[in-house]
Amino acid sequence: MTHIKVNVDGTPYEDEVEPRLLLAHYLRDRLGLTGTPIGCDTSNCGACTVELDGTTVKSCSVLAVQADGSTVTTVQGLAKDGEWTALQHAFHERHGLQCGYCTPGMIMAARDLLRENPHPTSDEVREALEGNLCRCTGYQNIVRAVLAAAGQQDGPGRQDASGRQVGEEVTA
Ligand code: FES
Ligand code: FES
C-alpha cells in the first residue's frame, strides 16, 4: 500500500491505496464522489474527466498514487455555495444532456476549453469535445450549451421563421 495526500474539491484527504488503484475508482469508491462516472475504463469515453493540478485528465487513465500531493477538481467541486457555474446553467437551459452520464466529463472538458479559448467557434467546441462521447444527444445541444456559456449565440440549428439565426445569451 502507498500513502497519498490529495486535495479533492477543496477537501484534503490522506489514504493508503494500492499502487494499481485508478484515480476514478479512488474518487468514487473511496471518497464517495460518484458524480464522476466511469463509462468505459479504457480512456475512450471521457465520462470520468476531472482536473488534476489544473490539467484536464481522464481519471480512469491516472493512478491514484500519481495524484499524490495534487489538487483534483471534479464536477462536484464546481458549484460554489450551491450556485452552479455558467456552464452548468447553460447545459441545463440548453438541454445539453439526456441521461446525463456523459455530462460531468463534458462539463469538465468544456471548462478547460473556455479557459484556453473564451470565445470558441462551434467547430472549436466540437474539436475540444472530441474525446468525450455522448450516446443520447447527438451533440448539437451540448455545443449550443458551451457556446451559450461563452456568451455567444446558440450556434447552428436554431432559426426564426425567416431563417435567421437566433439565440439568447446565458448570463447566469
Ligand atoms: S471511463 Fe474514463 S474515459 Fe471512459
Ligand atoms: S446524455 Fe446520455 S450519454 Fe450523453
Side-chain angles (χ1 to χ4, degrees), residues 2 16 21 26 41 55 60 64-65 74 87 92 103 153-155 163 172:
T2 303
E16 302 292 327
L21 182 69
Y26 176 69
D41 236 351
T55 300
C60 74
V65 292
T74 78
L87 201 49
H92 180 241
T103 312
Q153 299 291 303
D154 264 350

Side-chain angles (χ1 to χ4, degrees), residues 73-150:
T73 304
T74 78
V75 73
Q76 288 175 256
L78 299 186
K80 294 289 172 253
D81 300 323
E83 184 57 36
W84 286 348
T85 63
L87 201 49
Q88 289 171 304
H89 275 290
F91 267 73
H92 180 241
E93 291 171 8
R94 293 299 190 278
H95 307 291
L97 62 134
Q98 287 181 31
C99 79
Y101 208 87
C102 69
T103 312
M106 288 288 181
I107 287 178
M108 297 309 289
R111 181 178 134 93
D112 191 42
L113 165 69
L114 295 182
R115 211 172 19 226
E116 303 261 313
N117 178 3
H119 303 292
T121 64
S122 164
D123 284 347
E124 287 169 338
V125 174
R126 287 174 193 280
E127 192 180 334
L129 298 182
E130 69 184 2
N132 293 72
L133 305 182
C134 176
R135 305 186 83 161
C136 307
T137 64
Y139 300 98
Q140 194 75 353
N141 282 356
I142 292 174
V143 174
R144 290 172 62 189
V146 178
L147 292 173

